[in-house]
Amino acid sequence: MNWKHYFRFAPRGSRMEFACVGAAWQFLGLISLALQTLTLSRSGYLTAGAAFFSLGVSLAQLIISILMAWLAFASFSRRLHDMNFSAWWIAGYLIPVTIISLFLQEIWWLFTLLGLAIWLFLCLKKGTPAENRFGAVPAVGNTMTPLLVLFAVLGLLFALGQTVYSRWVLMPRALSATQLQIK
């Protein structure tokens, strides 16, 4: 399969493809968080080299974040198309979760669990068995295999890793870097 396929929002995507791409973009998310930690560790230094390093790391993180978001939206879109749903259902999840998470940050874990449950559901739910309005049945990957389960579990572990890392490593470092800059 052509690599450009993974950046397209159509036609349909199999469960295996969704699990593989999902594990990949969750892994990219962990890399992005590690880059944020590097930037924070250098933020206390006021040298030109540290500023240049932080700028370079921030640029790399921006590129990774854009790539990760594009891959995520494209794979979710193709997966929803496989189940004969419009990709607009993504907005039905993102809009309320974003609005609520801005005002109810103390229950962040609930949205993490909801996102993981939806991702796992999309990994395991069979698509429509025949051609639908979004195209023909994907050629490979709509059967339950150990490889599908492996990539689904890897994706879940990477997503949980992002949550744990951001809450218990990155946030305390960001707070301490902010306190150093205030003093």
Side-chain angles (χ1 to χ4, degrees):
M1 184 175 297
N2 189 345
W3 64 271
K4 293 177 184 177
H5 168 77
Y6 298 107
F7 292 92
R8 293 185 181 134
F9 290 81
R12 292 170 63 170
S14 68
R15 296 185 296 172
M16 177 64 87
E17 175 193 320
F18 182 75
C20 291
V21 171
W25 57 261
Q26 294 291 0
F27 182 71
L28 285 173
L30 277 175
I31 291 172
S32 180
L33 289 174
L35 288 174
Q36 270 185 312
T37 305
L38 278 174
T39 304
L40 282 174
S41 67
R42 302 274 184 150
S43 65
Y45 306 111
L46 297 176
T47 65
F52 184 73
F53 176 80
S54 292
L55 179 65
V57 169
S58 295
L59 182 61
Q61 183 186 2
L62 175 66
I63 291 168
I64 288 172
S65 296
I66 291 169
L67 175 68
M68 188 175 72
W70 193 279
L71 280 172
F73 283 121
S75 66
F76 268 91
S77 174
R78 286 190 313 276
R79 187 69 194 112
L80 287 169
H81 289 170
D82 189 42
M83 294 183 288
N84 208 21
F85 289 115
S86 168
W88 285 103
W89 281 97
I90 297 170
Y93 167 75
L94 285 179
I95 292 170
V97 165
T98 302
I99 290 170
I100 293 170
S101 65
L102 288 174
F103 298 106
L104 301 173
Q105 294 178 1
E106 61 274 359
I107 56 172
W108 59 269
W109 56 270
L110 182 64
F111 301 109
T112 300
L113 288 177
L114 179 62
L116 291 174
I118 289 171
W119 188 78
L120 188 59
F121 172 77
L122 290 174
C123 280
L124 301 178
K125 171 87 170 82
K126 289 184 179 181
T128 53
E131 186 172 327
N132 66 21
R133 63 187 169 138
F134 298 104
V137 176
V140 181
N142 264 336
T143 60
M144 182 65 75
T145 64
L147 196 57
L148 172 65
V149 174
L150 172 71
F151 281 113
V153 168
L154 277 175
L156 286 174
L157 289 176
F158 289 149
L160 286 172
Q162 284 183 51
T163 301
V164 168
Y165 189 87
S166 65
R167 286 308 256 188
W168 287 285
V169 175
L170 191 60
M171 285 181 70
R173 286 190 184 192
L175 289 173
S176 67
T178 304
Q179 290 171 353
L180 283 175
Q181 289 176 351
I182 291 174
K183 291 180 181 180

